[in-house]
């Protein structure tokens, strides 16, 4: 399976979160809901999942920074 670039997933996660906040307001229009649905669909397709909960988990996992091992000094001799 192809994997989406982490930067693309980060952008989708940010967009989804922002649209979620807008969708909770009382005076939200149908455009915001449609954009939210489109973003959720894109997250699902990008992560190979079928529901938004699984897509959010997968996208967050794939964008999590990979810890690096601390460098150890090398002896110069």
């Amino acid at each position: 399976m192809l994997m989406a670039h982490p930067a693309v997933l980060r952008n989708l996660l940010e967009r989804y979160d922002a649209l979620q906040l807008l969708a909770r307001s009382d005076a939200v229009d149908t455009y915001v809901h449609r954009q939210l649905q489109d973003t959720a669909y894109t997250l699902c397709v990008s992560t190979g999942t079928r529901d938004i909960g699984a897509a959010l988990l997968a996208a967050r996992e794939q964008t999590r920074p990979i810890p690096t091992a601390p460098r150890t000094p090398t002896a110069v001799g």
Side-chain angles (χ1 to χ4, degrees):
M1 179 177 95
L2 293 175
M3 303 263 305
H5 192 280
V8 171
L9 291 175
R10 274 191 289 279
N11 287 340
L12 286 168
L13 286 169
E14 289 174 8
R15 180 173 175 78
Y16 183 83
D17 290 341
L19 288 166
Q20 276 284 77
L21 288 174
L22 285 174
R24 290 182 187 147
S25 96
D26 292 332
V28 64
D29 63 13
T30 56
Y31 178 76
V32 171
H33 284 291
R34 183 69 190 150
Q35 291 299 309
L36 183 59
Q37 289 174 341
D38 289 348
T39 304
Y41 174 79
T42 304
L43 273 165
C44 288
V45 170
S46 299
T47 58
T49 59
R50 292 181 180 228
D51 66 81
I52 189 59
L56 292 170
L57 287 173
R60 289 186 177 118
E61 178 66 25
Q62 292 175 35
T63 58
R64 188 170 39 102
I66 300 171
T68 58
R71 290 187 168 184
T72 56
T74 57
V76 179

